[in-house]
Amino acid sequence: QVQLVESGGGLVQPGGSLRLSCAASGSIFSINAMGWYRQAPGNQRELVAGITNGGSTNYADSVKGRFTISRDNAKNTVHLQMNSLKPEDTAVYYCNAQVITVRAGYLQVWGQGTLVTVSS
């Protein structure tokens, strides 16, 4: 079994910054891509940023230049540095990982979500 635990959400004023972290644990052989998604009320879940195990990244157009994704392969962690936050960034942010497990093969795993609220 594999679990993802997120941290770092909260309330921030427009223009502020937050750093989200996600740690994977369990019967992990390796992790391929990791990413952050978000879902605002009434909207579908959307990809915010992704990163491969080789470090290649991709971002939603709406966050390019403001958000930075990074990972530590040795610690099975992924981070999302969010700067210049806007009210439209308000959403529940979910960590995602494509995991090769020790016994069960490939799994796509989701975290429980962490709320980010951007408001004055």
Side-chain angles (χ1 to χ4, degrees):
Q1 189 151 354
V2 176
Q3 296 176 331
L4 300 179
V5 178
E6 299 132 336
S7 59
L11 173 64
V12 64
Q13 292 187 341
S17 298
L18 280 176
R19 179 177 169 87
L20 304 183
S21 295
C22 172
S25 63
S27 301
I28 298 169
F29 178 75
S30 65
I31 301 178
N32 293 339
M34 301 184 80
W36 289 94
Y37 290 71
R38 68 185 180 187
Q39 188 168 17
N43 290 358
Q44 291 187 336
R45 190 173 298 188
E46 62 175 359
L47 175 68
V48 176
I51 185 168
T52 68
N53 55 5
S56 297
T57 59
N58 64 291
Y59 296 91
D61 288 342
S62 58
V63 307
K64 283 181 181 176
R66 300 188 298 122
F67 291 9
T68 303
I69 189 170
S70 62
R71 66 187 282 176
D72 185 331
N73 291 334
K75 297 181 179 179
N76 290 332
T77 57
V78 64
H79 308 280
L80 186 68
Q81 178 66 43
M82 304 185 294
N83 299 328
S84 302
L85 282 160
K86 303 175 181 180
E88 51 263 43
D89 294 317
T90 296
V92 177
Y93 284 70
Y94 297 91
C95 178
N96 174 271
Q98 298 174 7
V99 180
I100 309 299
T101 65
V102 173
R103 294 185 180 87
Y106 170 82
L107 288 177
Q108 180 163 219
V109 186
W110 291 92
Q112 80 283 0
T114 185
L115 178 62
V116 172
T117 303
V118 185
S119 175
S120 54

